[in-house]
Amino acid sequence: MGGQGVSEASVLVVEDEPEIATLYEQFLDDRYDVTVVSTVEAAVETVSSSFDAVLLDRRLPDGEGSEVLTHVRSAGHDCRVAMVTAVEPDYDIIEMGFDLYVTKPVDRESLQTALETLLARSQYDDLLREAAALASKRAVLEAQRAPEQLEANAAYTRLVDRLEAIDTDIDDAAASLSPADYRTMFRDLGRR
């Protein structure tokens, strides 16, 4: 059910109501490669690390969306998951491993924004890992070599250029986070 999206991102929509599933596909199909399934069983059979994001209904005809979420995490699939549901969040969500909770009804802009947030978070994680590795290499080199030697080395220059590019990408990713995202990320820092 995929479209001719302009993004390389692949999205699995798990939604049992056909009208809503079709609507979500229409909202996203022009930007992303969209696959739609309607049951826990189909989602578990379909989901893989090739998906960048999963939009997951909480209540499905053959079980709970949390079963799909548990499968995604236990199988080690590297994709971000948003629960997109009419179920109002309660304390039970604390233990669920989703990345974002979106309450229905959802319009085009809200769904696209949720997906962009998921994809930004995915990118942000990768960038942080790469930045940490490159910064470590730079620190080791700077401790061992004189600045003139470093500036004359093409590999070191590429490393510094990549770190600068990552800084820009991280700034862009951070700009896409909402104030609620920041509160969520930092709320427990003072409690340790």
Side-chain angles (χ1 to χ4, degrees):
M1 291 189 190
Q4 304 301 316
V6 295
S7 170
E8 293 180 20
S10 182
V11 180
L12 177 61
V13 174
V14 185
E15 172 59 58
D16 64 314
E17 295 185 42
E19 301 82 20
I20 294 175
T22 299
L23 192 61
Y24 289 178
E25 186 174 18
Q26 290 170 353
F27 287 170
L28 302 172
D29 204 36
D30 62 334
R31 293 183 175 186
Y32 307 101
D33 180 18
V34 180
T35 300
V36 178
V37 297
S38 60
T39 64
V40 169
E41 181 180 4
V44 167
E45 289 175 2
T46 304
V47 72
S48 69
S49 291
S50 67
F51 287 98
D52 298 293
V54 178
L55 302 177
L56 179 60
D57 193 1
R58 230 177 129 176
R59 293 201 176 127
L60 297 161
D62 61 338
E64 294 290 321
S66 60
E67 296 173 55
V68 177
L69 182 57
T70 299
H71 171 76
V72 167
R73 299 303 185 223
S74 66
H77 298 311
D78 187 25
C79 55
R80 306 282 61 89
V81 179
M83 294 296 246
V84 183
T85 179
V87 178
E88 289 295 323
D90 201 355
Y91 292 109
D92 63 337
I93 69 169
I94 294 170
E95 299 302 319
M96 293 181 191
F98 59 80
D99 300 287
L100 191 62
Y101 199 92
V102 180
T103 305
K104 292 178 183 175
V106 180
D107 60 16
R108 177 186 303 266
E109 183 178 344
S110 299
L111 193 65
Q112 289 176 346
T113 299
L115 190 51
E116 289 166 8
T117 299
L118 289 176
L119 296 173
R121 288 179 183 178
S122 180
Q123 175 190 23
Y124 195 79
D125 292 342
D126 292 341
L127 289 173
L128 284 177
R129 271 183 264 168
E130 183 180 1
L134 292 174
S136 176
K137 292 173 186 175
R138 182 177 69 180
V140 168
L141 290 171
E142 288 177 350
Q144 298 296 319
R145 303 279 187 250
E148 304 81 36
Q149 291 174 312
L150 294 172
E151 291 172 8
N153 185 282
Y156 178 80
T157 302
R158 284 193 303 274
L159 180 146
V160 170
D161 290 346
R162 179 62 186 142
L163 272 171
E164 289 175 2
I166 289 173
D167 284 345
T168 300
D169 289 345
I170 288 173
D171 288 345
D172 291 346
S176 73
L177 297 175
S178 70
D181 289 326
Y182 280 107
R183 283 192 299 276
T184 300
M185 287 190 302
F186 296 109
R187 71 175 166 227
D188 293 328
L189 287 179
R191 297 182 187 158
R192 294 187 184 248

mmCIF file of all heavy atoms in Angstrom, residues 125-177:
data_model
loop_
_atom_site.group_PDB
_atom_site.id
_atom_site.type_symbol
_atom_site.label_atom_id
_atom_site.label_comp_id
_atom_site.label_asym_id
_atom_site.label_seq_id
_atom_site.Cartn_x
_atom_site.Cartn_y
_atom_site.Cartn_z
ATOM 1 N N ASP A 125 19.214 10.424 17.900
ATOM 2 C CA ASP A 125 19.948 9.359 18.576
ATOM 3 C C ASP A 125 21.189 8.966 17.784
ATOM 4 O O ASP A 125 22.276 8.832 18.344
ATOM 5 C CB ASP A 125 19.069 8.136 18.783
ATOM 6 C CG ASP A 125 17.950 8.389 19.778
ATOM 7 O OD1 ASP A 125 18.031 9.352 20.550
ATOM 8 O OD2 ASP A 125 16.996 7.602 19.770
ATOM 9 N N ASP A 126 21.044 8.750 16.503
ATOM 10 C CA ASP A 126 22.169 8.375 15.650
ATOM 11 C C ASP A 126 23.228 9.472 15.628
ATOM 12 O O ASP A 126 24.430 9.197 15.689
ATOM 13 C CB ASP A 126 21.700 8.100 14.218
ATOM 14 C CG ASP A 126 20.848 6.845 14.117
ATOM 15 O OD1 ASP A 126 20.906 6.003 15.032
ATOM 16 O OD2 ASP A 126 20.126 6.713 13.116
ATOM 17 N N LEU A 127 22.780 10.707 15.538
ATOM 18 C CA LEU A 127 23.727 11.816 15.501
ATOM 19 C C LEU A 127 24.511 11.933 16.796
ATOM 20 O O LEU A 127 25.711 12.202 16.784
ATOM 21 C CB LEU A 127 22.999 13.132 15.212
ATOM 22 C CG LEU A 127 22.464 13.296 13.793
ATOM 23 C CD1 LEU A 127 21.626 14.560 13.686
ATOM 24 C CD2 LEU A 127 23.596 13.312 12.797
ATOM 25 N N LEU A 128 23.835 11.741 17.904
ATOM 26 C CA LEU A 128 24.539 11.821 19.189
ATOM 27 C C LEU A 128 25.608 10.748 19.294
ATOM 28 O O LEU A 128 26.710 11.002 19.779
ATOM 29 C CB LEU A 128 23.556 11.704 20.351
ATOM 30 C CG LEU A 128 22.722 12.938 20.630
ATOM 31 C CD1 LEU A 128 21.744 12.679 21.764
ATOM 32 C CD2 LEU A 128 23.611 14.118 20.978
ATOM 33 N N ARG A 129 25.278 9.542 18.847
ATOM 34 C CA ARG A 129 26.275 8.461 18.873
ATOM 35 C C ARG A 129 27.466 8.799 17.994
ATOM 36 O O ARG A 129 28.625 8.634 18.393
ATOM 37 C CB ARG A 129 25.651 7.147 18.426
ATOM 38 C CG ARG A 129 25.046 6.377 19.598
ATOM 39 C CD ARG A 129 24.519 5.068 19.113
ATOM 40 N NE ARG A 129 23.193 5.446 18.941
ATOM 41 C CZ ARG A 129 22.155 4.909 18.357
ATOM 42 N NH1 ARG A 129 22.213 3.927 17.856
ATOM 43 N NH2 ARG A 129 20.987 5.350 18.265
ATOM 44 N N GLU A 130 27.200 9.262 16.792
ATOM 45 C CA GLU A 130 28.290 9.609 15.886
ATOM 46 C C GLU A 130 29.101 10.783 16.441
ATOM 47 O O GLU A 130 30.335 10.764 16.395
ATOM 48 C CB GLU A 130 27.744 9.951 14.501
ATOM 49 C CG GLU A 130 28.850 10.253 13.505
ATOM 50 C CD GLU A 130 28.336 10.595 12.115
ATOM 51 O OE1 GLU A 130 27.120 10.619 11.890
ATOM 52 O OE2 GLU A 130 29.188 10.840 11.247
ATOM 53 N N ALA A 131 28.426 11.786 16.976
ATOM 54 C CA ALA A 131 29.123 12.950 17.530
ATOM 55 C C ALA A 131 30.031 12.538 18.677
ATOM 56 O O ALA A 131 31.177 13.016 18.775
ATOM 57 C CB ALA A 131 28.116 13.997 17.993
ATOM 58 N N ALA A 132 29.553 11.676 19.543
ATOM 59 C CA ALA A 132 30.373 11.237 20.678
ATOM 60 C C ALA A 132 31.623 10.511 20.195
ATOM 61 O O ALA A 132 32.727 10.742 20.706
ATOM 62 C CB ALA A 132 29.553 10.335 21.601
ATOM 63 N N ALA A 133 31.472 9.650 19.209
ATOM 64 C CA ALA A 133 32.626 8.911 18.683
ATOM 65 C C ALA A 133 33.630 9.860 18.031
ATOM 66 O O ALA A 133 34.839 9.752 18.260
ATOM 67 C CB ALA A 133 32.162 7.858 17.681
ATOM 68 N N LEU A 134 33.138 10.787 17.228
ATOM 69 C CA LEU A 134 34.039 11.729 16.557
ATOM 70 C C LEU A 134 34.704 12.676 17.548
ATOM 71 O O LEU A 134 35.894 12.984 17.413
ATOM 72 C CB LEU A 134 33.282 12.520 15.488
ATOM 73 C CG LEU A 134 32.796 11.716 14.273
ATOM 74 C CD1 LEU A 134 31.946 12.591 13.366
ATOM 75 C CD2 LEU A 134 33.960 11.110 13.518
ATOM 76 N N ALA A 135 33.964 13.139 18.544
ATOM 77 C CA ALA A 135 34.542 14.038 19.549
ATOM 78 C C ALA A 135 35.638 13.332 20.338
ATOM 79 O O ALA A 135 36.665 13.937 20.659
ATOM 80 C CB ALA A 135 33.446 14.553 20.484
ATOM 81 N N SER A 136 35.442 12.076 20.616
ATOM 82 C CA SER A 136 36.469 11.298 21.327
ATOM 83 C C SER A 136 37.735 11.192 20.481
ATOM 84 O O SER A 136 38.854 11.388 20.980
ATOM 85 C CB SER A 136 35.925 9.910 21.656
ATOM 86 O OG SER A 136 36.917 9.124 22.254
ATOM 87 N N LYS A 137 37.564 10.920 19.216
ATOM 88 C CA LYS A 137 38.720 10.823 18.308
ATOM 89 C C LYS A 137 39.439 12.165 18.213
ATOM 90 O O LYS A 137 40.673 12.231 18.244
ATOM 91 C CB LYS A 137 38.267 10.367 16.921
ATOM 92 C CG LYS A 137 37.771 8.934 16.903
ATOM 93 C CD LYS A 137 37.171 8.578 15.558
ATOM 94 C CE LYS A 137 36.553 7.190 15.616
ATOM 95 N NZ LYS A 137 35.863 6.842 14.379
ATOM 96 N N ARG A 138 38.650 13.232 18.109
ATOM 97 C CA ARG A 138 39.256 14.556 18.030
ATOM 98 C C ARG A 138 40.050 14.863 19.298
ATOM 99 O O ARG A 138 41.177 15.367 19.231
ATOM 100 C CB ARG A 138 38.194 15.631 17.801
ATOM 101 C CG ARG A 138 38.813 17.036 17.671
ATOM 102 C CD ARG A 138 37.809 18.100 17.368
ATOM 103 N NE ARG A 138 36.948 18.312 18.520
ATOM 104 C CZ ARG A 138 35.955 19.184 18.568
ATOM 105 N NH1 ARG A 138 35.666 19.911 17.498
ATOM 106 N NH2 ARG A 138 35.238 19.325 19.642
ATOM 107 N N ALA A 139 39.501 14.541 20.467
ATOM 108 C CA ALA A 139 40.189 14.813 21.730
ATOM 109 C C ALA A 139 41.500 14.044 21.818
ATOM 110 O O ALA A 139 42.528 14.594 22.252
ATOM 111 C CB ALA A 139 39.283 14.456 22.907
ATOM 112 N N VAL A 140 41.495 12.798 21.388
ATOM 113 C CA VAL A 140 42.728 11.993 21.419
ATOM 114 C C VAL A 140 43.772 12.606 20.493
ATOM 115 O O VAL A 140 44.940 12.751 20.868
ATOM 116 C CB VAL A 140 42.432 10.527 21.037
ATOM 117 C CG1 VAL A 140 43.711 9.755 20.779
ATOM 118 C CG2 VAL A 140 41.596 9.862 22.121
ATOM 119 N N LEU A 141 43.356 12.964 19.291
ATOM 120 C CA LEU A 141 44.293 13.568 18.340
ATOM 121 C C LEU A 141 44.836 14.896 18.850
ATOM 122 O O LEU A 141 46.029 15.186 18.728
ATOM 123 C CB LEU A 141 43.629 13.755 16.974
ATOM 124 C CG LEU A 141 43.335 12.469 16.194
ATOM 125 C CD1 LEU A 141 42.484 12.769 14.973
ATOM 126 C CD2 LEU A 141 44.640 11.782 15.806
ATOM 127 N N GLU A 142 43.970 15.717 19.413
ATOM 128 C CA GLU A 142 44.414 17.023 19.900
ATOM 129 C C GLU A 142 45.370 16.897 21.088
ATOM 130 O O GLU A 142 46.220 17.766 21.293
ATOM 131 C CB GLU A 142 43.208 17.887 20.265
ATOM 132 C CG GLU A 142 42.460 18.352 19.028
ATOM 133 C CD GLU A 142 41.213 19.163 19.316
ATOM 134 O OE1 GLU A 142 40.781 19.234 20.497
ATOM 135 O OE2 GLU A 142 40.655 19.720 18.356
ATOM 136 N N ALA A 143 45.237 15.824 21.843
ATOM 137 C CA ALA A 143 46.164 15.602 22.957
ATOM 138 C C ALA A 143 47.530 15.110 22.475
ATOM 139 O O ALA A 143 48.529 15.258 23.176
ATOM 140 C CB ALA A 143 45.566 14.588 23.934
ATOM 141 N N GLN A 144 47.574 14.548 21.268
ATOM 142 C CA GLN A 144 48.802 13.940 20.759
ATOM 143 C C GLN A 144 49.537 14.779 19.724
ATOM 144 O O GLN A 144 50.718 14.553 19.474
ATOM 145 C CB GLN A 144 48.472 12.572 20.130
ATOM 146 C CG GLN A 144 47.902 11.562 21.091
ATOM 147 C CD GLN A 144 48.890 11.188 22.175
ATOM 148 O OE1 GLN A 144 50.072 11.011 21.923
ATOM 149 N NE2 GLN A 144 48.414 11.108 23.409
ATOM 150 N N ARG A 145 48.853 15.710 19.080
ATOM 151 C CA ARG A 145 49.451 16.443 17.967
ATOM 152 C C ARG A 145 49.371 17.949 18.185
ATOM 153 O O ARG A 145 48.428 18.455 18.796
ATOM 154 C CB ARG A 145 48.726 16.119 16.656
ATOM 155 C CG ARG A 145 48.703 14.651 16.293
ATOM 156 C CD ARG A 145 50.023 14.241 15.647
ATOM 157 N NE ARG A 145 49.954 12.887 15.141
ATOM 158 C CZ ARG A 145 50.606 11.865 15.683
ATOM 159 N NH1 ARG A 145 51.362 12.040 16.724
ATOM 160 N NH2 ARG A 145 50.504 10.669 15.166
ATOM 161 N N ALA A 146 50.299 18.641 17.606
ATOM 162 C CA ALA A 146 50.310 20.105 17.639
ATOM 163 C C ALA A 146 49.214 20.627 16.700
ATOM 164 O O ALA A 146 48.886 19.985 15.693
ATOM 165 C CB ALA A 146 51.669 20.630 17.190
ATOM 166 N N PRO A 147 48.648 21.797 17.009
ATOM 167 C CA PRO A 147 47.595 22.360 16.162
ATOM 168 C C PRO A 147 47.994 22.479 14.695
ATOM 169 O O PRO A 147 47.168 22.232 13.808
ATOM 170 C CB PRO A 147 47.339 23.738 16.782
ATOM 171 C CG PRO A 147 47.749 23.592 18.205
ATOM 172 C CD PRO A 147 48.891 22.619 18.198
ATOM 173 N N GLU A 148 49.261 22.828 14.423
ATOM 174 C CA GLU A 148 49.699 22.966 13.026
ATOM 175 C C GLU A 148 49.631 21.620 12.303
ATOM 176 O O GLU A 148 49.280 21.554 11.123
ATOM 177 C CB GLU A 148 51.140 23.493 12.957
ATOM 178 C CG GLU A 148 51.380 24.796 13.682
ATOM 179 C CD GLU A 148 51.586 24.610 15.205
ATOM 180 O OE1 GLU A 148 52.192 23.618 15.645
ATOM 181 O OE2 GLU A 148 51.103 25.479 15.941
ATOM 182 N N GLN A 149 49.994 20.553 12.995
ATOM 183 C CA GLN A 149 49.943 19.215 12.391
ATOM 184 C C GLN A 149 48.491 18.829 12.092
ATOM 185 O O GLN A 149 48.205 18.259 11.040
ATOM 186 C CB GLN A 149 50.567 18.177 13.327
ATOM 187 C CG GLN A 149 52.056 18.299 13.497
ATOM 188 C CD GLN A 149 52.566 17.318 14.545
ATOM 189 O OE1 GLN A 149 52.011 17.211 15.642
ATOM 190 N NE2 GLN A 149 53.624 16.620 14.198
ATOM 191 N N LEU A 150 47.619 19.119 13.022
ATOM 192 C CA LEU A 150 46.210 18.763 12.846
ATOM 193 C C LEU A 150 45.601 19.510 11.663
ATOM 194 O O LEU A 150 44.902 18.918 10.841
ATOM 195 C CB LEU A 150 45.420 19.067 14.123
ATOM 196 C CG LEU A 150 45.786 18.210 15.338
ATOM 197 C CD1 LEU A 150 45.081 18.743 16.578
ATOM 198 C CD2 LEU A 150 45.450 16.751 15.108
ATOM 199 N N GLU A 151 45.877 20.792 11.587
ATOM 200 C CA GLU A 151 45.314 21.601 10.513
ATOM 201 C C GLU A 151 45.813 21.166 9.147
ATOM 202 O O GLU A 151 45.109 21.325 8.145
ATOM 203 C CB GLU A 151 45.633 23.075 10.741
ATOM 204 C CG GLU A 151 44.893 23.646 11.939
ATOM 205 C CD GLU A 151 45.340 25.051 12.293
ATOM 206 O OE1 GLU A 151 46.118 25.668 11.536
ATOM 207 O OE2 GLU A 151 44.889 25.528 13.343
ATOM 208 N N ALA A 152 46.983 20.568 9.085
ATOM 209 C CA ALA A 152 47.551 20.122 7.818
ATOM 210 C C ALA A 152 47.059 18.731 7.406
ATOM 211 O O ALA A 152 47.317 18.292 6.286
ATOM 212 C CB ALA A 152 49.078 20.123 7.902
ATOM 213 N N ASN A 153 46.343 18.068 8.286
ATOM 214 C CA ASN A 153 45.905 16.701 8.007
ATOM 215 C C ASN A 153 44.489 16.689 7.440
ATOM 216 O O ASN A 153 43.543 17.170 8.084
ATOM 217 C CB ASN A 153 45.982 15.867 9.290
ATOM 218 C CG ASN A 153 45.651 14.420 9.044
ATOM 219 O OD1 ASN A 153 44.481 14.082 8.910
ATOM 220 N ND2 ASN A 153 46.675 13.587 8.974
ATOM 221 N N ALA A 154 44.315 16.117 6.250
ATOM 222 C CA ALA A 154 43.012 16.104 5.573
ATOM 223 C C ALA A 154 41.975 15.287 6.351
ATOM 224 O O ALA A 154 40.803 15.674 6.434
ATOM 225 C CB ALA A 154 43.158 15.562 4.156
ATOM 226 N N ALA A 155 42.384 14.161 6.927
ATOM 227 C CA ALA A 155 41.442 13.321 7.678
ATOM 228 C C ALA A 155 40.924 14.066 8.908
ATOM 229 O O ALA A 155 39.730 14.008 9.228
ATOM 230 C CB ALA A 155 42.103 12.010 8.085
ATOM 231 N N TYR A 156 41.807 14.752 9.598
ATOM 232 C CA TYR A 156 41.391 15.535 10.766
ATOM 233 C C TYR A 156 40.441 16.651 10.336
ATOM 234 O O TYR A 156 39.422 16.904 10.993
ATOM 235 C CB TYR A 156 42.610 16.127 11.485
ATOM 236 C CG TYR A 156 42.226 16.988 12.657
ATOM 237 C CD1 TYR A 156 41.879 16.425 13.872
ATOM 238 C CD2 TYR A 156 42.170 18.372 12.528
ATOM 239 C CE1 TYR A 156 41.494 17.220 14.944
ATOM 240 C CE2 TYR A 156 41.795 19.170 13.595
ATOM 241 C CZ TYR A 156 41.451 18.587 14.800
ATOM 242 O OH TYR A 156 41.075 19.375 15.862
ATOM 243 N N THR A 157 40.740 17.305 9.240
ATOM 244 C CA THR A 157 39.867 18.369 8.738
ATOM 245 C C THR A 157 38.474 17.827 8.419
ATOM 246 O O THR A 157 37.468 18.459 8.740
ATOM 247 C CB THR A 157 40.494 19.031 7.492
ATOM 248 O OG1 THR A 157 41.782 19.545 7.856
ATOM 249 C CG2 THR A 157 39.635 20.156 6.959
ATOM 250 N N ARG A 158 38.422 16.637 7.800
ATOM 251 C CA ARG A 158 37.120 16.009 7.504
ATOM 252 C C ARG A 158 36.375 15.692 8.803
ATOM 253 O O ARG A 158 35.161 15.886 8.896
ATOM 254 C CB ARG A 158 37.303 14.751 6.672
ATOM 255 C CG ARG A 158 37.620 15.028 5.209
ATOM 256 C CD ARG A 158 37.493 13.778 4.338
ATOM 257 N NE ARG A 158 38.351 12.680 4.788
ATOM 258 C CZ ARG A 158 39.629 12.527 4.444
ATOM 259 N NH1 ARG A 158 40.206 13.403 3.636
ATOM 260 N NH2 ARG A 158 40.321 11.497 4.889
ATOM 261 N N LEU A 159 37.097 15.224 9.813
ATOM 262 C CA LEU A 159 36.488 14.915 11.100
ATOM 263 C C LEU A 159 35.874 16.174 11.708
ATOM 264 O O LEU A 159 34.720 16.163 12.149
ATOM 265 C CB LEU A 159 37.542 14.320 12.044
ATOM 266 C CG LEU A 159 37.075 13.931 13.444
ATOM 267 C CD1 LEU A 159 37.836 12.701 13.920
ATOM 268 C CD2 LEU A 159 37.259 15.047 14.431
ATOM 269 N N VAL A 160 36.611 17.259 11.734
ATOM 270 C CA VAL A 160 36.109 18.522 12.279
ATOM 271 C C VAL A 160 34.916 19.022 11.469
ATOM 272 O O VAL A 160 33.906 19.464 12.034
ATOM 273 C CB VAL A 160 37.237 19.579 12.343
ATOM 274 C CG1 VAL A 160 36.680 20.960 12.682
ATOM 275 C CG2 VAL A 160 38.301 19.165 13.345
ATOM 276 N N ASP A 161 35.005 18.917 10.143
ATOM 277 C CA ASP A 161 33.889 19.340 9.296
ATOM 278 C C ASP A 161 32.632 18.519 9.591
ATOM 279 O O ASP A 161 31.516 19.065 9.646
ATOM 280 C CB ASP A 161 34.252 19.219 7.812
ATOM 281 C CG ASP A 161 35.284 20.251 7.359
ATOM 282 O OD1 ASP A 161 35.530 21.227 8.116
ATOM 283 O OD2 ASP A 161 35.852 20.059 6.260
ATOM 284 N N ARG A 162 32.816 17.213 9.776
ATOM 285 C CA ARG A 162 31.670 16.346 10.075
ATOM 286 C C ARG A 162 31.067 16.703 11.428
ATOM 287 O O ARG A 162 29.847 16.750 11.580
ATOM 288 C CB ARG A 162 32.081 14.869 10.030
ATOM 289 C CG ARG A 162 30.959 13.910 10.349
ATOM 290 C CD ARG A 162 29.809 14.011 9.330
ATOM 291 N NE ARG A 162 28.709 13.186 9.741
ATOM 292 C CZ ARG A 162 27.425 13.516 9.599
ATOM 293 N NH1 ARG A 162 27.092 14.646 8.996
ATOM 294 N NH2 ARG A 162 26.475 12.722 10.017
ATOM 295 N N LEU A 163 31.912 16.979 12.415
ATOM 296 C CA LEU A 163 31.393 17.384 13.725
ATOM 297 C C LEU A 163 30.586 18.678 13.621
ATOM 298 O O LEU A 163 29.536 18.819 14.255
ATOM 299 C CB LEU A 163 32.536 17.557 14.734
ATOM 300 C CG LEU A 163 32.933 16.292 15.495
ATOM 301 C CD1 LEU A 163 34.207 16.522 16.282
ATOM 302 C CD2 LEU A 163 31.809 15.831 16.400
ATOM 303 N N GLU A 164 31.069 19.622 12.814
ATOM 304 C CA GLU A 164 30.328 20.866 12.622
ATOM 305 C C GLU A 164 28.987 20.600 11.941
ATOM 306 O O GLU A 164 27.966 21.194 12.310
ATOM 307 C CB GLU A 164 31.157 21.859 11.814
ATOM 308 C CG GLU A 164 32.337 22.409 12.590
ATOM 309 C CD GLU A 164 33.253 23.304 11.771
ATOM 310 O OE1 GLU A 164 32.963 23.542 10.577
ATOM 311 O OE2 GLU A 164 34.258 23.755 12.341
ATOM 312 N N ALA A 165 28.980 19.699 10.969
ATOM 313 C CA ALA A 165 27.721 19.346 10.293
ATOM 314 C C ALA A 165 26.754 18.678 11.266
ATOM 315 O O ALA A 165 25.550 18.957 11.249
ATOM 316 C CB ALA A 165 28.005 18.425 9.107
ATOM 317 N N ILE A 166 27.289 17.818 12.114
ATOM 318 C CA ILE A 166 26.449 17.154 13.114
ATOM 319 C C ILE A 166 25.875 18.184 14.079
ATOM 320 O O ILE A 166 24.699 18.109 14.439
ATOM 321 C CB ILE A 166 27.233 16.057 13.862
ATOM 322 C CG1 ILE A 166 27.491 14.876 12.929
ATOM 323 C CG2 ILE A 166 26.484 15.602 15.115
ATOM 324 C CD1 ILE A 166 28.405 13.819 13.515
ATOM 325 N N ASP A 167 26.688 19.144 14.493
ATOM 326 C CA ASP A 167 26.181 20.200 15.379
ATOM 327 C C ASP A 167 24.986 20.905 14.740
ATOM 328 O O ASP A 167 23.978 21.165 15.408
ATOM 329 C CB ASP A 167 27.271 21.230 15.684
ATOM 330 C CG ASP A 167 28.284 20.741 16.694
ATOM 331 O OD1 ASP A 167 28.015 19.735 17.388
ATOM 332 O OD2 ASP A 167 29.358 21.369 16.792
ATOM 333 N N THR A 168 25.081 21.189 13.452
ATOM 334 C CA THR A 168 23.972 21.823 12.743
ATOM 335 C C THR A 168 22.758 20.901 12.713
ATOM 336 O O THR A 168 21.628 21.345 12.969
ATOM 337 C CB THR A 168 24.401 22.188 11.299
ATOM 338 O OG1 THR A 168 25.498 23.096 11.375
ATOM 339 C CG2 THR A 168 23.249 22.809 10.528
ATOM 340 N N ASP A 169 22.988 19.612 12.418
ATOM 341 C CA ASP A 169 21.877 18.653 12.385
ATOM 342 C C ASP A 169 21.223 18.519 13.755
ATOM 343 O O ASP A 169 19.995 18.441 13.863
ATOM 344 C CB ASP A 169 22.363 17.284 11.911
ATOM 345 C CG ASP A 169 22.719 17.261 10.439
ATOM 346 O OD1 ASP A 169 22.343 18.202 9.715
ATOM 347 O OD2 ASP A 169 23.377 16.281 10.012
ATOM 348 N N ILE A 170 22.025 18.499 14.806
ATOM 349 C CA ILE A 170 21.475 18.399 16.160
ATOM 350 C C ILE A 170 20.674 19.650 16.492
ATOM 351 O O ILE A 170 19.586 19.561 17.064
ATOM 352 C CB ILE A 170 22.584 18.141 17.198
ATOM 353 C CG1 ILE A 170 23.098 16.698 17.033
ATOM 354 C CG2 ILE A 170 22.086 18.378 18.624
ATOM 355 C CD1 ILE A 170 24.304 16.369 17.891
ATOM 356 N N ASP A 171 21.182 20.805 16.095
ATOM 357 C CA ASP A 171 20.431 22.042 16.311
ATOM 358 C C ASP A 171 19.090 21.991 15.578
ATOM 359 O O ASP A 171 18.055 22.388 16.128
ATOM 360 C CB ASP A 171 21.226 23.262 15.845
ATOM 361 C CG ASP A 171 22.391 23.585 16.766
ATOM 362 O OD1 ASP A 171 22.424 23.070 17.903
ATOM 363 O OD2 ASP A 171 23.274 24.358 16.339
ATOM 364 N N ASP A 172 19.104 21.482 14.340
ATOM 365 C CA ASP A 172 17.865 21.361 13.568
ATOM 366 C C ASP A 172 16.902 20.388 14.238
ATOM 367 O O ASP A 172 15.702 20.639 14.337
ATOM 368 C CB ASP A 172 18.151 20.898 12.136
ATOM 369 C CG ASP A 172 18.869 21.955 11.307
ATOM 370 O OD1 ASP A 172 18.918 23.128 11.737
ATOM 371 O OD2 ASP A 172 19.399 21.579 10.234
ATOM 372 N N ALA A 173 17.425 19.247 14.714
ATOM 373 C CA ALA A 173 16.586 18.261 15.400
ATOM 374 C C ALA A 173 16.022 18.849 16.686
ATOM 375 O O ALA A 173 14.841 18.668 17.004
ATOM 376 C CB ALA A 173 17.381 16.996 15.686
ATOM 377 N N ALA A 174 16.856 19.573 17.415
ATOM 378 C CA ALA A 174 16.401 20.181 18.662
ATOM 379 C C ALA A 174 15.305 21.209 18.389
ATOM 380 O O ALA A 174 14.362 21.336 19.175
ATOM 381 C CB ALA A 174 17.574 20.833 19.389
ATOM 382 N N ALA A 175 15.414 21.927 17.280
ATOM 383 C CA ALA A 175 14.402 22.925 16.938
ATOM 384 C C ALA A 175 13.048 22.282 16.677
ATOM 385 O O ALA A 175 12.007 22.909 16.859
ATOM 386 C CB ALA A 175 14.842 23.734 15.719
ATOM 387 N N SER A 176 13.043 20.987 16.275
ATOM 388 C CA SER A 176 11.777 20.312 15.990
ATOM 389 C C SER A 176 11.115 19.763 17.250
ATOM 390 O O SER A 176 9.968 19.342 17.208
ATOM 391 C CB SER A 176 11.998 19.173 14.990
ATOM 392 O OG SER A 176 12.664 18.096 15.608
ATOM 393 N N LEU A 177 11.829 19.780 18.389
ATOM 394 C CA LEU A 177 11.252 19.286 19.629
ATOM 395 C C LEU A 177 10.379 20.361 20.258
ATOM 396 O O LEU A 177 10.708 21.536 20.243
ATOM 397 C CB LEU A 177 12.358 18.872 20.610
ATOM 398 C CG LEU A 177 13.252 17.725 20.148
ATOM 399 C CD1 LEU A 177 14.379 17.514 21.152
ATOM 400 C CD2 LEU A 177 12.462 16.453 19.951
#
